[in-house]
Amino acid sequence: MRALVVGLFASAFAGCGGSFQPGARAAADPNEVGFVASDGWAFPAGSIQPTLATGGIVTTTDRVATETGTEILRRGGNAVDAAVATHFALAVVNPEAGNIGGGGFMVVRRANGETASLDFREKAPGAATRDMYLDERGEVTDASRSGHLAAGVPGSVAGMWEAHQRFGSLPWAELVQPAINLALGMVVHDRLAGSLRSYAERLERNPAAAAVLLPGGTPPPVGDRLVQADLAETFRRIAENGKDGFYGGQTALLVEEEMRRGGGLITANDLASYEAVWRDPIVFSYRGHTIISMPPPSSGGATLAEILNILEGYDLASLSHHSADHVHLWTEAVKRAYVDRNAYLADPDFAELPTERMISDDYAAERRSDIHPDRTTPSDSVLPGLTPVPAVAMATPEPEHTTHYSIIDADGNAVAVTTTLNSLYGNVVMVEDAGFLLNNEMDDFTAKVGEPNQFGLVQGEANTIEPGKRMLSAMTPTIVLDPNGSVLLVTGTPGGSTIITSVAQVISNVIDFGMGVANATAAPRLHHQHLPDVLRYEENGLPVDVVAALEALGHEVDQRSGFQGDLQTIQVLPGTTTAGVADPRRGGASFGVTPVRQVVQ
Ligand code: DON
């Protein structure tokens, strides 16, 4: 993990609006409060630096996508304009998760105080049925994970179109153009080369995907020029015809043909009737801050609210970060929130959800009341708390595909977007002659009550498959306001079921432990998801004495391999400077319009 600090200091920007004064950073130094981890933790306190900038900032997992979004801000576009351009650029330069064949969620907080959340989650095709992934013996097949049947009706283009219709300021075609340019020929960078290399074997199985992404039969090396001509054409239709360039005409015909060829269900009619939906964001307070996050069909905001509302009853600031006491309380809160998430949450257009109660302070107090300070409550005793439903279980946590970007513009408009194809490269089916990959999001439904999906999530009846329904998600794009009502954080991450716990931790690291965004991102992460009843931590993330103390409280504690999440977070510092951090766990970049210091992780 190599961090490259692009050496741009205030003096280089005299006259460009740069206002960085080294001495003035003392009170707002994003590295000022540290954390404790074992020797060997990959990103010790102070080891990463934030980008510092004025005039707007973009943070994504991919340097080229970040540059694309920043360029839109430089041209006077607002945060939503930059989001549209960034989203489409990611679909070209980061095809493992960036997409037009998938979906996602956007949370917006405008400088005038207006908030909005946009659901562009995929939907089950009209011909989908509850038991479509069961064989004749009633066993779950793998058709929800790979191949044509795994794809839900994509939502990304409708989402970007809808966001632009409501909030955009630059012409639509200008925001799509960078993706066209990149698709016509881009220089392969390490992020893309590494991803294609590690996934080449699976991509080879789909001739259309292999022809584009493995030119000449092998993953392109860094520095090669990669051309995605069909994708450029698809983007050209989107630039010219807006949403209809994807959901109608040639693109829709190509999707329908692809489905016919591979036995999938999505029809031109499914595409034509797809709508992105504005929903009321989940809004709750945490220690005087206001948190704005995604409502169902994402479970992110409601689960985040339950976790933080429970924790609000404890004086975490009086505890040391990642002391056994802190981790114990955190784990107990998370267990309770996740069992509710799995039991109750689903597409609100298809089921009555107890969301209001789940995010209320009263309910948090009730949940808190059986947390013991001196011993864990085993997960099989932590039942869904709202109405009697059978307990559900989870096995292994999800791996960590998907991508998130965070943006603030010069006026203070803030946008957080998490988007995915679900697994890396989705269902690994490229729509022939259209050049984009489809998702395998159908696997986020409950294929069979009581059976885990590919990532071990065992979800409830409310999330079973119905035509036109959206599958439950964990994506948690989130904006945090400080006690004065000004934007403090814009954040989100990939990571399947770990998304919610990662977001909860970065917020708590800043609010409860006073960390700046760099240390709040670098700090090791924890995860629990009710079942299995195991607290997982990143390698060398917890000191051995803390692990021993947690075990003495009855927790099963397990060191995981790899990293948890890929947070892309912006923190607004006092004054006019913003700090952005692309998580060093997977790399990325945060660039500002008027940079003081730019960092590529
Ligand atoms: O919507 C969701 O929660 C998942 N489809 C997100 C998938 C994800 O983060 C991929 N990695 N596991």
Side-chain angles (χ1 to χ4, degrees):
M1 300 282 158
R2 169 184 57 94
L4 176 66
V5 177
V6 186
L8 300 171
F9 292 94
S11 56
F13 283 83
C16 306
S19 59
F20 178 65
Q21 303 286 326
R25 245 178 78 199
D29 186 340
N31 284 320
E32 68 185 14
V33 176
F35 55 81
V36 175
S38 294
D39 288 349
W41 168 239
F43 311 107
S47 64
I48 64 167
Q49 294 183 310
T51 284
L52 297 173
T54 58
I57 190 163
V58 177
T59 302
T60 88
T61 198
D62 187 287
R63 184 182 50 75
V64 178
T66 296
E67 180 52 37
T68 303
T70 312
E71 175 58 23
I72 296 299
L73 294 182
R74 279 190 207 110
R75 287 191 212 161
N78 64 28
V80 169
D81 293 323
V84 173
T86 301
H87 196 104
F88 290 150
L90 281 166
V92 183
V93 302
N94 186 37
E96 63 176 42
N99 68 81
I100 53 175
F105 299 100
M106 173 184 285
V107 173
V108 179
R109 205 270 183 168
R110 298 182 77 207
N112 66 7
E114 180 184 1
T115 57
S117 63
L118 181 62
D119 162 5
F120 54 98
R121 181 69 159 165
E122 299 91 328
K123 294 172 77 160
T129 55
R130 180 187 163 105
D131 294 336
M132 64 188 279
Y133 300 118
L134 303 185
D135 63 18
E136 32 328 310
R137 285 164 303 139
E139 305 296 333
V140 180
T141 69
D142 69 356
S144 63
R145 299 169 203 174
S146 57
H148 294 68
L149 265 187
V153 183
S156 279
V157 176
M160 292 305 114
W161 176 252
E162 190 56 46
H164 182 259
Q165 289 287 106
R166 181 161 168 190
F167 294 126
S169 67
L170 294 184
W172 169 258
E174 188 176 334
L175 307 175
V176 185
Q177 191 61 43
I180 299 176
N181 298 346
L182 287 165
L184 285 173
M186 62 172 287
V187 178
V188 174
H189 50 300
D190 340 12
R191 176 84 165 80
L192 179 59
S195 171
L196 291 172
R197 219 173 22 247
S198 66
Y199 230 65
E201 213 173 288
R202 285 205 63 194
L203 290 167
E204 271 164 16
R205 292 184 219 149
N206 182 262
V212 176
L213 296 173
L214 307 173
T218 50
V222 173
D224 260 26
R225 187 161 177 272
L226 181 70
V227 176
Q228 303 180 60
D230 291 333
L231 181 59
E233 267 307 289
T234 299
F235 272 121
R236 198 189 48 71
R237 292 191 290 274
I238 294 169
E240 275 174 16
N241 304 314
K243 182 185 168 196
D244 294 346
F246 185 88
Y247 294 91
Q250 176 73 357
T251 315
L253 286 179
L254 290 172
V255 172
E256 200 170 52
E257 262 173 46
E258 183 62 55
M259 288 288 126
R260 242 193 314 270
R261 232 184 338 266
L265 298 183
I266 300 172
T267 62
N269 199 33
D270 287 325
L271 289 164
S273 57
Y274 183 90
E275 303 275 353
V277 183
W278 293 104
R279 301 192 186 270
D280 293 336
I282 295 280
V283 181
F284 63 100
S285 71
Y286 184 63
R287 301 193 207 276
H289 296 68
T290 302
I291 300 190
I292 306 156
S293 191
M294 199 64 216
S298 177
S299 63
T303 312
L304 180 69
E306 186 174 336
I307 294 169
L308 292 179
N309 286 339
I310 295 172
L311 290 175
E312 200 173 16
Y314 303 103
D315 183 10
L316 294 189
S318 70
L319 304 175
S320 300
H321 180 259
H322 283 186
S323 60
D325 286 345
H326 169 220
V327 176
H328 170 65
L329 294 173
W330 183 89
T331 306
E332 295 302 300
V334 167
K335 262 186 202 182
R336 285 158 175 80
Y338 267 71
V339 74
D340 287 338
R341 176 233 184 248
N342 295 325
Y344 301 118
L345 299 182
D347 183 344
D349 297 339
F350 282 75
E352 278 292 312
L353 309 182
T355 314
E356 282 310 307
R357 173 95 182 123
M358 186 171 165
I359 69 169
S360 70
D361 289 339
D362 283 355
Y363 183 60
E366 197 178 292
R367 282 310 229 172
R368 203 184 299 122
S369 66
D370 65 358
I371 295 179
H372 305 281
D374 51 357
R375 66 190 151 87
T376 184
T377 315
S379 285
D380 55 13
S381 306
V382 178
L383 301 177
L386 292 156
T387 53
V389 294
V392 290
M394 283 200 230
T396 51
E398 297 194 30
E400 303 179 2
H401 318 143
T402 302
T403 196
H404 177 90
Y405 51 92
S406 295
I407 301 175
I408 298 185
D409 65 25
D411 293 329
N413 299 301
V415 174
V417 175
T418 313
T419 183
T420 191
L421 290 167
N422 197 16
S423 300
L424 279 179
Y425 299 96
N427 65 353
V428 203
V429 172
M430 184 171 278
V431 179
E432 220 169 286
D433 299 327
F436 63 89
L437 290 158
L438 290 166
N439 65 83
N440 62 349
E441 216 74 63
M442 291 294 284
D443 194 61
D444 277 351
F445 276 119
T446 310
K448 181 179 179 183
V449 176
E451 292 285 326
N453 70 359
Q454 68 172 315
F455 304 123
L457 284 164
V458 182
Q459 305 174 105
E461 179 68 35
N463 188 37
T464 50
I465 303 168
E466 296 177 62
K469 184 172 175 180
R470 287 155 147 95
M471 54 298 279
L472 185 62
S473 172
M475 291 188 273
T476 316
T478 300
I479 295 173
V480 178
L481 310 182
D482 69 16
N484 298 319
S486 302
V487 172
L488 175 67
L489 297 173
V490 185
T491 190
T493 181
S497 59
T498 69
I499 289 174
I500 309 166
T501 49
S502 294
V503 170
Q505 286 169 91
V506 78
I507 292 171
S508 175
N509 288 349
V510 172
I511 294 179
D512 295 314
F513 297 100
M515 293 181 211
V517 62
N519 280 338
T521 303
R525 296 186 191 131
L526 311 170
H527 183 66
H528 199 295
Q529 53 179 33
H530 180 245
L531 289 174
D533 192 354
V534 178
L535 170 66
R536 301 171 82 220
Y537 64 99
E538 293 178 301
E539 196 174 345
N540 297 320
L542 283 181
V544 282
D545 58 320
V546 172
V547 172
L550 288 164
E551 285 170 345
L553 295 175
H555 293 276
E556 184 175 337
V557 188
D558 183 38
Q559 178 170 274
R560 61 166 288 167
S561 57
F563 293 120
Q564 176 177 327
D566 184 30
L567 279 156
Q568 307 297 325
T569 307
I570 295 170
Q571 179 178 19
V572 180
L573 303 177
T576 54
T577 306
T578 49
V581 169
D583 202 325
R585 287 165 178 77
R586 274 196 251 174
S590 180
F591 290 160
V593 172
T594 305
V596 175
R597 174 178 66 203
Q598 304 215 123
V599 182
V600 179
Q601 299 290 349

